[in-house]
Amino acid sequence: MRRNFLIDLICCLLILLFVYTGFSKLLDLDLTYKQMNKQPFPESWTPFLVWSISLAELAVAGLLLFNKT
């Protein structure tokens, strides 16, 4: 029982983390674009990376809601 509680707690914390980071990137797109342009990727990849990383974080949070994943 204690092990299941610990696993559920960790999943809840990870869900909160991924939802927070995904939405914060989507809410402040200008800052996210600026930060992504500082990375060692070509600037033409920036729009794809900004949207795909943000949506991937939200998708991971959604998958953590189910036991099998």
Side-chain angles (χ1 to χ4, degrees):
M1 176 149 173
R2 179 172 267 197
R3 182 174 184 260
N4 289 338
F5 174 75
L6 186 61
I7 290 172
D8 288 343
L9 178 66
I10 291 170
C11 283
C12 288
L13 291 174
L14 285 173
I15 290 168
L16 287 174
L17 175 71
F18 282 118
V19 168
Y20 170 75
T21 57
F23 277 127
S24 68
K25 287 177 186 172
L26 290 176
L27 291 175
D28 197 1
L29 283 175
D30 291 334
L31 179 63
T32 306
Y33 272 91
K34 288 177 187 175
Q35 290 174 344
M36 193 62 70
N37 282 331
K38 293 179 183 178
Q39 302 305 315
F41 299 111
E43 286 190 22
S44 61
W45 292 10
T46 300
F48 171 74
L49 288 173
V50 166
W51 286 100
S52 62
I53 290 173
S54 301
L55 295 176
E57 288 173 342
L58 294 174
V60 168
L63 289 173
L64 285 171
L65 292 172
F66 303 104
N67 286 335
K68 297 250 180 187
T69 56

